[in-house]
mmCIF file of all heavy atoms in Angstrom:
data_model
loop_
_atom_site.group_PDB
_atom_site.id
_atom_site.type_symbol
_atom_site.label_atom_id
_atom_site.label_comp_id
_atom_site.label_asym_id
_atom_site.label_seq_id
_atom_site.Cartn_x
_atom_site.Cartn_y
_atom_site.Cartn_z
ATOM 1 N N LEU A 162 -10.904 14.473 -5.048
ATOM 2 C CA LEU A 162 -9.946 14.760 -3.862
ATOM 3 C C LEU A 162 -8.947 15.830 -4.129
ATOM 4 O O LEU A 162 -8.334 15.749 -5.234
ATOM 5 C CB LEU A 162 -9.228 13.458 -3.454
ATOM 6 C CG LEU A 162 -8.450 13.450 -2.112
ATOM 7 C CD1 LEU A 162 -9.605 13.429 -1.034
ATOM 8 C CD2 LEU A 162 -7.693 12.121 -2.045
ATOM 9 N N PRO A 163 -8.746 16.806 -3.330
ATOM 10 C CA PRO A 163 -7.714 17.751 -3.585
ATOM 11 C C PRO A 163 -6.302 17.052 -3.579
ATOM 12 O O PRO A 163 -6.167 15.987 -3.019
ATOM 13 C CB PRO A 163 -7.920 18.799 -2.529
ATOM 14 C CG PRO A 163 -8.614 18.125 -1.479
ATOM 15 C CD PRO A 163 -9.520 17.013 -2.076
ATOM 16 N N HIS A 164 -5.310 17.788 -4.188
ATOM 17 C CA HIS A 164 -3.950 17.196 -4.168
ATOM 18 C C HIS A 164 -3.505 16.909 -2.711
ATOM 19 O O HIS A 164 -3.444 17.794 -1.848
ATOM 20 C CB HIS A 164 -3.017 18.203 -4.739
ATOM 21 C CG HIS A 164 -1.596 17.749 -4.837
ATOM 22 N ND1 HIS A 164 -1.062 16.764 -5.648
ATOM 23 C CD2 HIS A 164 -0.558 18.213 -4.039
ATOM 24 C CE1 HIS A 164 0.203 16.594 -5.386
ATOM 25 N NE2 HIS A 164 0.551 17.475 -4.487
ATOM 26 N N VAL A 165 -3.166 15.679 -2.393
ATOM 27 C CA VAL A 165 -2.742 15.272 -1.057
ATOM 28 C C VAL A 165 -1.434 14.549 -1.095
ATOM 29 O O VAL A 165 -1.431 13.424 -1.615
ATOM 30 C CB VAL A 165 -3.839 14.428 -0.322
ATOM 31 C CG1 VAL A 165 -3.412 14.071 1.057
ATOM 32 C CG2 VAL A 165 -5.216 15.145 -0.292
ATOM 33 N N LYS A 166 -0.351 15.020 -0.598
ATOM 34 C CA LYS A 166 0.834 14.405 -0.493
ATOM 35 C C LYS A 166 0.831 13.555 0.798
ATOM 36 O O LYS A 166 0.184 13.875 1.774
ATOM 37 C CB LYS A 166 2.077 15.384 -0.289
ATOM 38 C CG LYS A 166 2.492 16.060 -1.692
ATOM 39 C CD LYS A 166 3.579 16.957 -1.474
ATOM 40 C CE LYS A 166 4.839 16.290 -0.919
ATOM 41 N NZ LYS A 166 5.421 15.326 -1.918
ATOM 42 N N ILE A 167 1.484 12.366 0.682
ATOM 43 C CA ILE A 167 1.438 11.432 1.790
ATOM 44 C C ILE A 167 2.763 11.107 2.383
ATOM 45 O O ILE A 167 3.804 11.264 1.682
ATOM 46 C CB ILE A 167 0.785 10.117 1.408
ATOM 47 C CG1 ILE A 167 1.486 9.463 0.200
ATOM 48 C CG2 ILE A 167 -0.669 10.435 1.051
ATOM 49 C CD1 ILE A 167 0.887 8.064 -0.216
ATOM 50 N N ASP A 168 2.882 10.718 3.653
ATOM 51 C CA ASP A 168 4.124 10.329 4.277
ATOM 52 C C ASP A 168 4.123 8.878 4.499
ATOM 53 O O ASP A 168 5.272 8.307 4.556
ATOM 54 C CB ASP A 168 4.229 11.045 5.683
ATOM 55 C CG ASP A 168 4.222 12.556 5.561
ATOM 56 O OD1 ASP A 168 5.297 13.102 5.091
ATOM 57 O OD2 ASP A 168 3.251 13.189 5.842
ATOM 58 N N GLN A 169 3.043 8.167 4.560
ATOM 59 C CA GLN A 169 2.993 6.791 4.973
ATOM 60 C C GLN A 169 1.830 6.080 4.204
ATOM 61 O O GLN A 169 0.731 6.709 4.128
ATOM 62 C CB GLN A 169 2.989 6.510 6.423
ATOM 63 C CG GLN A 169 2.897 5.088 6.864
ATOM 64 C CD GLN A 169 3.105 4.975 8.392
ATOM 65 O OE1 GLN A 169 4.198 5.236 8.902
ATOM 66 N NE2 GLN A 169 2.074 4.444 9.070
ATOM 67 N N VAL A 170 2.029 4.949 3.755
ATOM 68 C CA VAL A 170 0.978 3.982 3.272
ATOM 69 C C VAL A 170 0.931 2.821 4.107
ATOM 70 O O VAL A 170 1.964 2.101 4.390
ATOM 71 C CB VAL A 170 1.221 3.684 1.826
ATOM 72 C CG1 VAL A 170 0.163 2.562 1.404
ATOM 73 C CG2 VAL A 170 1.203 4.815 0.868
ATOM 74 N N PHE A 171 -0.251 2.428 4.677
ATOM 75 C CA PHE A 171 -0.424 1.225 5.474
ATOM 76 C C PHE A 171 -1.314 0.260 4.686
ATOM 77 O O PHE A 171 -2.517 0.591 4.459
ATOM 78 C CB PHE A 171 -1.021 1.517 6.870
ATOM 79 C CG PHE A 171 -1.403 0.277 7.635
ATOM 80 C CD1 PHE A 171 -0.715 -0.820 7.559
ATOM 81 C CD2 PHE A 171 -2.654 0.372 8.371
ATOM 82 C CE1 PHE A 171 -1.162 -1.987 8.275
ATOM 83 C CE2 PHE A 171 -3.035 -0.719 9.037
ATOM 84 C CZ PHE A 171 -2.318 -1.917 9.076
ATOM 85 N N LEU A 172 -0.793 -0.830 4.222
ATOM 86 C CA LEU A 172 -1.542 -1.929 3.514
ATOM 87 C C LEU A 172 -1.732 -2.992 4.370
ATOM 88 O O LEU A 172 -0.712 -3.696 4.662
ATOM 89 C CB LEU A 172 -0.737 -2.317 2.219
ATOM 90 C CG LEU A 172 -1.367 -3.414 1.407
ATOM 91 C CD1 LEU A 172 -2.756 -3.088 0.913
ATOM 92 C CD2 LEU A 172 -0.415 -3.690 0.199
ATOM 93 N N GLY A 173 -2.927 -3.256 4.987
ATOM 94 C CA GLY A 173 -3.123 -4.381 5.865
ATOM 95 C C GLY A 173 -4.397 -4.158 6.568
ATOM 96 O O GLY A 173 -5.282 -3.565 6.108
ATOM 97 N N SER A 174 -4.495 -4.699 7.819
ATOM 98 C CA SER A 174 -5.629 -4.593 8.813
ATOM 99 C C SER A 174 -6.674 -5.767 8.512
ATOM 100 O O SER A 174 -6.570 -6.439 7.494
ATOM 101 C CB SER A 174 -6.289 -3.296 8.738
ATOM 102 O OG SER A 174 -7.247 -3.168 7.769
ATOM 103 N N CYS A 175 -7.635 -5.854 9.388
ATOM 104 C CA CYS A 175 -8.677 -6.801 9.319
ATOM 105 C C CYS A 175 -9.639 -6.449 8.196
ATOM 106 O O CYS A 175 -10.431 -7.257 7.751
ATOM 107 C CB CYS A 175 -9.433 -6.984 10.631
ATOM 108 S SG CYS A 175 -10.166 -5.465 11.275
ATOM 109 N N THR A 176 -9.485 -5.244 7.650
ATOM 110 C CA THR A 176 -10.326 -4.773 6.514
ATOM 111 C C THR A 176 -9.733 -5.192 5.130
ATOM 112 O O THR A 176 -10.439 -5.699 4.317
ATOM 113 C CB THR A 176 -10.530 -3.290 6.583
ATOM 114 O OG1 THR A 176 -10.803 -2.871 7.947
ATOM 115 C CG2 THR A 176 -11.561 -2.778 5.611
ATOM 116 N N ASN A 177 -8.418 -4.925 5.032
ATOM 117 C CA ASN A 177 -7.892 -5.185 3.694
ATOM 118 C C ASN A 177 -6.402 -5.827 3.764
ATOM 119 O O ASN A 177 -5.550 -5.343 3.090
ATOM 120 C CB ASN A 177 -7.862 -3.891 2.921
ATOM 121 C CG ASN A 177 -9.184 -3.598 2.312
ATOM 122 O OD1 ASN A 177 -9.580 -2.460 2.514
ATOM 123 N ND2 ASN A 177 -9.717 -4.484 1.457
ATOM 124 N N GLY A 178 -6.223 -6.821 4.651
ATOM 125 C CA GLY A 178 -4.921 -7.455 4.787
ATOM 126 C C GLY A 178 -4.837 -8.872 4.194
ATOM 127 O O GLY A 178 -3.929 -9.588 4.483
ATOM 128 N N ARG A 179 -5.834 -9.172 3.299
ATOM 129 C CA ARG A 179 -5.998 -10.545 2.819
ATOM 130 C C ARG A 179 -5.095 -10.648 1.492
ATOM 131 O O ARG A 179 -4.668 -9.630 0.850
ATOM 132 C CB ARG A 179 -7.338 -10.998 2.613
ATOM 133 C CG ARG A 179 -8.098 -11.261 3.926
ATOM 134 C CD ARG A 179 -9.580 -11.424 3.868
ATOM 135 N NE ARG A 179 -10.239 -10.131 3.841
ATOM 136 C CZ ARG A 179 -10.614 -9.502 4.900
ATOM 137 N NH1 ARG A 179 -10.227 -9.930 6.163
ATOM 138 N NH2 ARG A 179 -11.260 -8.381 4.869
ATOM 139 N N PHE A 180 -4.854 -11.857 1.131
ATOM 140 C CA PHE A 180 -4.032 -12.129 -0.113
ATOM 141 C C PHE A 180 -4.477 -11.353 -1.285
ATOM 142 O O PHE A 180 -3.739 -10.710 -2.015
ATOM 143 C CB PHE A 180 -4.043 -13.656 -0.395
ATOM 144 C CG PHE A 180 -3.265 -13.978 -1.640
ATOM 145 C CD1 PHE A 180 -1.966 -14.012 -1.682
ATOM 146 C CD2 PHE A 180 -4.006 -14.192 -2.825
ATOM 147 C CE1 PHE A 180 -1.141 -14.341 -2.899
ATOM 148 C CE2 PHE A 180 -3.359 -14.457 -3.996
ATOM 149 C CZ PHE A 180 -2.017 -14.612 -4.095
ATOM 150 N N GLU A 181 -5.830 -11.350 -1.506
ATOM 151 C CA GLU A 181 -6.352 -10.662 -2.657
ATOM 152 C C GLU A 181 -6.065 -9.144 -2.636
ATOM 153 O O GLU A 181 -5.768 -8.506 -3.711
ATOM 154 C CB GLU A 181 -7.841 -10.839 -2.755
ATOM 155 C CG GLU A 181 -8.336 -12.237 -3.064
ATOM 156 C CD GLU A 181 -8.565 -13.054 -1.847
ATOM 157 O OE1 GLU A 181 -7.936 -12.790 -0.740
ATOM 158 O OE2 GLU A 181 -9.301 -14.082 -1.928
ATOM 159 N N ASP A 182 -5.949 -8.630 -1.435
ATOM 160 C CA ASP A 182 -5.721 -7.121 -1.270
ATOM 161 C C ASP A 182 -4.249 -6.866 -1.584
ATOM 162 O O ASP A 182 -3.878 -5.909 -2.273
ATOM 163 C CB ASP A 182 -6.055 -6.726 0.163
ATOM 164 C CG ASP A 182 -7.491 -6.944 0.617
ATOM 165 O OD1 ASP A 182 -8.363 -6.720 -0.212
ATOM 166 O OD2 ASP A 182 -7.663 -7.435 1.673
ATOM 167 N N LEU A 183 -3.351 -7.728 -1.005
ATOM 168 C CA LEU A 183 -1.967 -7.566 -1.293
ATOM 169 C C LEU A 183 -1.606 -7.767 -2.730
ATOM 170 O O LEU A 183 -0.891 -6.965 -3.362
ATOM 171 C CB LEU A 183 -1.140 -8.543 -0.455
ATOM 172 C CG LEU A 183 -1.426 -8.592 1.095
ATOM 173 C CD1 LEU A 183 -0.428 -9.601 1.747
ATOM 174 C CD2 LEU A 183 -1.328 -7.259 1.676
ATOM 175 N N LYS A 184 -2.261 -8.752 -3.393
ATOM 176 C CA LYS A 184 -2.042 -9.018 -4.858
ATOM 177 C C LYS A 184 -2.400 -7.761 -5.662
ATOM 178 O O LYS A 184 -1.685 -7.420 -6.610
ATOM 179 C CB LYS A 184 -2.763 -10.229 -5.235
ATOM 180 C CG LYS A 184 -2.549 -10.648 -6.664
ATOM 181 C CD LYS A 184 -3.328 -11.886 -7.059
ATOM 182 C CE LYS A 184 -3.181 -12.274 -8.504
ATOM 183 N NZ LYS A 184 -3.931 -13.499 -8.879
ATOM 184 N N LEU A 185 -3.620 -7.237 -5.345
ATOM 185 C CA LEU A 185 -4.108 -6.105 -6.139
ATOM 186 C C LEU A 185 -3.131 -4.875 -6.015
ATOM 187 O O LEU A 185 -2.750 -4.219 -6.960
ATOM 188 C CB LEU A 185 -5.519 -5.658 -5.661
ATOM 189 C CG LEU A 185 -6.094 -4.464 -6.294
ATOM 190 C CD1 LEU A 185 -6.184 -4.610 -7.868
ATOM 191 C CD2 LEU A 185 -7.483 -4.109 -5.744
ATOM 192 N N ALA A 186 -2.696 -4.592 -4.765
ATOM 193 C CA ALA A 186 -1.775 -3.456 -4.662
ATOM 194 C C ALA A 186 -0.541 -3.670 -5.325
ATOM 195 O O ALA A 186 0.028 -2.752 -5.951
ATOM 196 C CB ALA A 186 -1.524 -3.223 -3.133
ATOM 197 N N ALA A 187 -0.040 -4.898 -5.326
ATOM 198 C CA ALA A 187 1.250 -5.196 -6.072
ATOM 199 C C ALA A 187 1.125 -5.080 -7.555
ATOM 200 O O ALA A 187 2.015 -4.593 -8.162
ATOM 201 C CB ALA A 187 1.684 -6.661 -5.602
ATOM 202 N N GLU A 188 0.018 -5.532 -8.025
ATOM 203 C CA GLU A 188 -0.333 -5.399 -9.427
ATOM 204 C C GLU A 188 -0.253 -3.938 -9.877
ATOM 205 O O GLU A 188 0.215 -3.511 -10.941
ATOM 206 C CB GLU A 188 -1.595 -6.131 -9.827
ATOM 207 C CG GLU A 188 -1.484 -7.578 -9.780
ATOM 208 C CD GLU A 188 -2.864 -8.232 -10.006
ATOM 209 O OE1 GLU A 188 -3.903 -7.539 -10.023
ATOM 210 O OE2 GLU A 188 -2.934 -9.521 -10.155
ATOM 211 N N VAL A 189 -0.934 -3.132 -9.109
ATOM 212 C CA VAL A 189 -0.971 -1.661 -9.427
ATOM 213 C C VAL A 189 0.424 -0.991 -9.372
ATOM 214 O O VAL A 189 0.756 -0.247 -10.255
ATOM 215 C CB VAL A 189 -1.967 -0.983 -8.455
ATOM 216 C CG1 VAL A 189 -1.909 0.590 -8.696
ATOM 217 C CG2 VAL A 189 -3.352 -1.503 -8.667
ATOM 218 N N MET A 190 1.217 -1.499 -8.387
ATOM 219 C CA MET A 190 2.576 -0.847 -8.238
ATOM 220 C C MET A 190 3.428 -1.295 -9.368
ATOM 221 O O MET A 190 4.360 -0.677 -9.757
ATOM 222 C CB MET A 190 3.169 -1.333 -6.954
ATOM 223 C CG MET A 190 2.414 -0.728 -5.696
ATOM 224 S SD MET A 190 3.096 -1.396 -4.095
ATOM 225 C CE MET A 190 4.700 -0.648 -4.110
ATOM 226 N N GLY A 191 3.266 -2.489 -9.986
ATOM 227 C CA GLY A 191 4.082 -2.996 -11.033
ATOM 228 C C GLY A 191 5.478 -3.118 -10.539
ATOM 229 O O GLY A 191 5.788 -3.678 -9.423
ATOM 230 N N ASP A 192 6.512 -2.688 -11.337
ATOM 231 C CA ASP A 192 7.891 -2.704 -10.956
ATOM 232 C C ASP A 192 8.363 -1.465 -10.386
ATOM 233 O O ASP A 192 9.606 -1.267 -10.246
ATOM 234 C CB ASP A 192 8.657 -3.200 -12.173
ATOM 235 C CG ASP A 192 8.353 -4.573 -12.556
ATOM 236 O OD1 ASP A 192 8.123 -5.415 -11.715
ATOM 237 O OD2 ASP A 192 8.386 -4.851 -13.825
ATOM 238 N N GLU A 193 7.526 -0.487 -10.119
ATOM 239 C CA GLU A 193 7.898 0.819 -9.578
ATOM 240 C C GLU A 193 8.188 0.751 -8.068
ATOM 241 O O GLU A 193 7.622 0.023 -7.331
ATOM 242 C CB GLU A 193 6.774 1.829 -9.767
ATOM 243 C CG GLU A 193 6.481 2.051 -11.243
ATOM 244 C CD GLU A 193 7.529 2.737 -11.994
ATOM 245 O OE1 GLU A 193 8.292 3.542 -11.446
ATOM 246 O OE2 GLU A 193 7.903 2.222 -13.129
ATOM 247 N N PRO A 194 9.246 1.612 -7.612
ATOM 248 C CA PRO A 194 9.613 1.538 -6.277
ATOM 249 C C PRO A 194 8.630 2.471 -5.449
ATOM 250 O O PRO A 194 7.977 3.324 -6.045
ATOM 251 C CB PRO A 194 11.032 2.197 -6.237
ATOM 252 C CG PRO A 194 11.005 3.114 -7.457
ATOM 253 C CD PRO A 194 10.142 2.373 -8.524
ATOM 254 N N VAL A 195 8.667 2.341 -4.202
ATOM 255 C CA VAL A 195 8.014 3.215 -3.334
ATOM 256 C C VAL A 195 8.529 4.628 -3.461
ATOM 257 O O VAL A 195 9.779 4.757 -3.469
ATOM 258 C CB VAL A 195 8.008 2.764 -1.816
ATOM 259 C CG1 VAL A 195 7.335 3.747 -0.944
ATOM 260 C CG2 VAL A 195 7.266 1.379 -1.667
ATOM 261 N N ALA A 196 7.660 5.607 -3.586
ATOM 262 C CA ALA A 196 8.221 7.054 -3.789
ATOM 263 C C ALA A 196 9.132 7.499 -2.661
ATOM 264 O O ALA A 196 8.964 7.047 -1.532
ATOM 265 C CB ALA A 196 6.938 7.949 -3.935
ATOM 266 N N ARG A 197 10.069 8.264 -3.165
ATOM 267 C CA ARG A 197 11.038 8.828 -2.124
ATOM 268 C C ARG A 197 10.280 9.665 -1.031
ATOM 269 O O ARG A 197 9.353 10.441 -1.471
ATOM 270 C CB ARG A 197 12.100 9.724 -2.840
ATOM 271 C CG ARG A 197 13.171 10.258 -1.954
ATOM 272 C CD ARG A 197 14.135 11.113 -2.748
ATOM 273 N NE ARG A 197 14.760 10.345 -3.772
ATOM 274 C CZ ARG A 197 15.894 9.647 -3.552
ATOM 275 N NH1 ARG A 197 16.489 9.606 -2.326
ATOM 276 N NH2 ARG A 197 16.421 9.049 -4.489
ATOM 277 N N GLY A 198 10.561 9.460 0.224
ATOM 278 C CA GLY A 198 9.940 10.209 1.266
ATOM 279 C C GLY A 198 8.708 9.527 1.735
ATOM 280 O O GLY A 198 8.009 10.085 2.669
ATOM 281 N N VAL A 199 8.253 8.407 1.187
ATOM 282 C CA VAL A 199 7.146 7.727 1.677
ATOM 283 C C VAL A 199 7.492 6.355 2.399
ATOM 284 O O VAL A 199 8.365 5.620 1.761
ATOM 285 C CB VAL A 199 6.153 7.438 0.438
ATOM 286 C CG1 VAL A 199 4.993 6.473 0.924
ATOM 287 C CG2 VAL A 199 5.660 8.679 -0.158
ATOM 288 N N ARG A 200 6.880 6.085 3.409
ATOM 289 C CA ARG A 200 7.097 4.822 4.137
ATOM 290 C C ARG A 200 5.878 3.976 3.827
ATOM 291 O O ARG A 200 4.720 4.365 3.944
ATOM 292 C CB ARG A 200 7.129 5.054 5.735
ATOM 293 C CG ARG A 200 8.089 6.077 6.081
ATOM 294 C CD ARG A 200 8.225 6.247 7.592
ATOM 295 N NE ARG A 200 6.894 6.627 8.283
ATOM 296 C CZ ARG A 200 6.552 7.956 8.324
ATOM 297 N NH1 ARG A 200 7.291 8.935 7.872
ATOM 298 N NH2 ARG A 200 5.437 8.272 8.890
ATOM 299 N N MET A 201 6.080 2.770 3.398
ATOM 300 C CA MET A 201 5.005 1.788 3.025
ATOM 301 C C MET A 201 5.155 0.605 3.994
ATOM 302 O O MET A 201 6.228 -0.028 4.063
ATOM 303 C CB MET A 201 5.018 1.301 1.654
ATOM 304 C CG MET A 201 3.862 0.383 1.310
ATOM 305 S SD MET A 201 3.857 -0.074 -0.515
ATOM 306 C CE MET A 201 2.241 -0.783 -0.574
ATOM 307 N N ILE A 202 4.131 0.386 4.775
ATOM 308 C CA ILE A 202 4.053 -0.790 5.692
ATOM 309 C C ILE A 202 3.074 -1.739 5.176
ATOM 310 O O ILE A 202 1.865 -1.445 5.092
ATOM 311 C CB ILE A 202 3.779 -0.260 7.130
ATOM 312 C CG1 ILE A 202 4.764 0.794 7.669
ATOM 313 C CG2 ILE A 202 3.722 -1.444 8.104
ATOM 314 C CD1 ILE A 202 4.385 1.356 9.038
ATOM 315 N N VAL A 203 3.457 -2.915 5.072
ATOM 316 C CA VAL A 203 2.603 -4.013 4.503
ATOM 317 C C VAL A 203 2.488 -5.117 5.571
ATOM 318 O O VAL A 203 3.504 -5.587 6.101
ATOM 319 C CB VAL A 203 3.186 -4.659 3.207
ATOM 320 C CG1 VAL A 203 2.225 -5.744 2.736
ATOM 321 C CG2 VAL A 203 3.353 -3.592 2.153
ATOM 322 N N ILE A 204 1.300 -5.422 6.020
ATOM 323 C CA ILE A 204 1.136 -6.457 7.029
ATOM 324 C C ILE A 204 -0.082 -7.377 6.669
ATOM 325 O O ILE A 204 -1.247 -6.970 6.742
ATOM 326 C CB ILE A 204 0.780 -5.732 8.438
ATOM 327 C CG1 ILE A 204 1.718 -4.720 8.753
ATOM 328 C CG2 ILE A 204 0.659 -6.794 9.416
ATOM 329 C CD1 ILE A 204 1.499 -3.979 10.015
ATOM 330 N N PRO A 205 0.251 -8.604 6.289
ATOM 331 C CA PRO A 205 -0.774 -9.563 5.908
ATOM 332 C C PRO A 205 -1.667 -9.787 7.215
ATOM 333 O O PRO A 205 -1.127 -9.730 8.291
ATOM 334 C CB PRO A 205 0.016 -10.825 5.560
ATOM 335 C CG PRO A 205 1.287 -10.312 5.052
ATOM 336 C CD PRO A 205 1.497 -9.148 5.944
ATOM 337 N N ALA A 206 -2.929 -10.228 7.008
ATOM 338 C CA ALA A 206 -3.860 -10.249 8.135
ATOM 339 C C ALA A 206 -3.621 -11.532 8.912
ATOM 340 O O ALA A 206 -4.006 -11.561 10.096
ATOM 341 C CB ALA A 206 -5.261 -10.259 7.574
ATOM 342 N N SER A 207 -3.048 -12.581 8.390
ATOM 343 C CA SER A 207 -2.771 -13.793 9.219
ATOM 344 C C SER A 207 -1.567 -14.465 8.625
ATOM 345 O O SER A 207 -1.056 -14.184 7.541
ATOM 346 C CB SER A 207 -3.964 -14.676 9.052
ATOM 347 O OG SER A 207 -4.160 -15.317 7.715
#
């Protein structure tokens, strides 16, 4: 993939909004904050 800057991250939906999905994303993020200038929206599926 070429270098792609992002403005928003959407973690959720009927595709990937389950507990396992949220847990995996959180593990990858560790203790790091969301990057400056990026909006992150997290929505559990149920």
Side-chain angles (χ1 to χ4, degrees):
L162 191 72
H164 177 75
V165 180
K166 284 181 59 65
I167 58 176
D168 299 286
Q169 180 167 294
V170 173
F171 170 38
L172 174 61
S174 84
C175 57
T176 314
N177 281 126
R179 285 169 278 279
F180 174 78
E181 292 90 337
D182 303 316
L183 307 185
K184 182 180 178 183
L185 176 58
E188 288 176 351
V189 173
M190 292 174 70
D192 295 324
E193 296 296 319
V195 175
R197 184 180 297 275
V199 174
R200 310 181 297 273
M201 185 179 192
I202 302 175
V203 180
I204 309 180
S207 72

